[in-house]
Amino acid sequence: MYYITGGGMKVIALANQKGGVGKTTTAINIGTELAKKNKVLIIDLDPQGNISKALTGGMVEFEFELSVSYLFDKPKVANINNTIRPALSNKDKIHNLFLIPTDMKLSRVIETSLTKINRERILSKHLSKIKDIYDFVILDTPPNLSLTTLNAIDSADLILIPVDSGAFSIDGISPLL
């Protein structure tokens, strides 16, 4: 436990190529629990946006002017602080829990980012600008090895790979490692 509670911002990525293994649920639960005593930022790197829906008060339709898409689309000019919003549960703010939401634009932005130099370090460069603000950053990734997942792995101090007992879930671990 010392590793997680040591000084400085800690970045935790949840990743598995298999969907439905509990990455998003685990991210929400870890983030909510850590926020009881720490300042926590959750970043939704999955274009499906389930964590964004859950932590914006249950919005069904969502599209945010400034989301994680903005950070990947304009990495040299984007200000990460402008994308952060308070996390909500049933329209009530959750103390110490913040969110950078995603939207459907992320898939398109990732495709255009594949030609950028240092594309796998876009997120870590943005996170370096807020390292003195947050105690923990939780990264929820899509069920694939996309550019957002590679950025999460590059940025993370700790990578959690949720699995269920099914063979397909376990099969997703090897390529990820």
Side-chain angles (χ1 to χ4, degrees), residues 92-134:
D92 295 323
K93 183 179 173 195
I94 301 171
H95 183 68
N96 277 340
L97 188 61
F98 299 85
L99 170 70
I100 296 180
T102 192
D103 54 31
M104 295 306 291
K105 292 182 284 188
L106 183 59
S107 293
R108 182 175 32 83
V109 167
I110 290 304
E111 287 179 23
T112 61
S113 297
L114 292 175
T115 59
K116 292 181 178 159
I117 297 171
N118 291 321
R119 61 190 167 272
E120 66 284 341
R121 298 204 30 83
I122 292 171
L123 186 60
S124 63
K125 288 179 182 177
H126 286 297
L127 291 177
S128 70
K129 297 173 186 167
I130 59 168
K131 66 181 188 239
D132 296 327
I133 300 172
Y134 295 92

Side-chain angles (χ1 to χ4, degrees), residues 22-174:
K23 290 185 299 293
T24 298
T25 301
T26 303
I28 290 171
N29 288 331
I30 289 173
T32 303
E33 191 62 31
L34 286 172
K36 291 178 180 177
K37 294 184 179 180
N38 302 278
K39 195 167 181 183
V40 179
L41 173 64
I42 294 180
I43 302 178
D44 192 349
L45 295 169
D46 186 349
Q48 293 179 41
N50 291 327
I51 209 163
S52 295
K53 292 173 193 169
L55 295 179
T56 54
M59 292 172 58
V60 176
E61 296 294 325
F62 67 98
E63 186 157 325
F64 303 98
E65 184 177 332
L66 295 176
S67 68
V68 74
S69 301
Y70 174 61
L71 300 178
F72 282 91
D73 190 30
K74 311 254 188 261
K76 293 183 179 176
V77 297
N79 182 340
I80 190 170
N81 291 301
N82 294 338
T83 63
I84 299 169
R85 54 190 302 134
L88 304 174
S89 175
N90 298 322
K91 310 282 190 239
D92 295 323
K93 183 179 173 195
I94 301 171
H95 183 68
N96 277 340
L97 188 61
F98 299 85
L99 170 70
I100 296 180
T102 192
D103 54 31
M104 295 306 291
K105 292 182 284 188
L106 183 59
S107 293
R108 182 175 32 83
V109 167
I110 290 304
E111 287 179 23
T112 61
S113 297
L114 292 175
T115 59
K116 292 181 178 159
I117 297 171
N118 291 321
R119 61 190 167 272
E120 66 284 341
R121 298 204 30 83
I122 292 171
L123 186 60
S124 63
K125 288 179 182 177
H126 286 297
L127 291 177
S128 70
K129 297 173 186 167
I130 59 168
K131 66 181 188 239
D132 296 327
I133 300 172
Y134 295 92
D135 300 305
F136 291 93
V137 175
I138 311 293
L139 306 174
D140 186 37
T141 64
N144 56 47
L145 283 176
S146 69
L147 184 59
T148 54
T149 302
L150 294 176
N151 269 263
I153 291 169
D154 179 72
S155 301
D157 296 303
L158 177 66
I159 302 167
L160 299 178
I161 306 172
V163 295
D164 60 25
S165 59
F168 294 125
S169 177
I170 295 168
D171 287 345
I173 296 174
S174 182

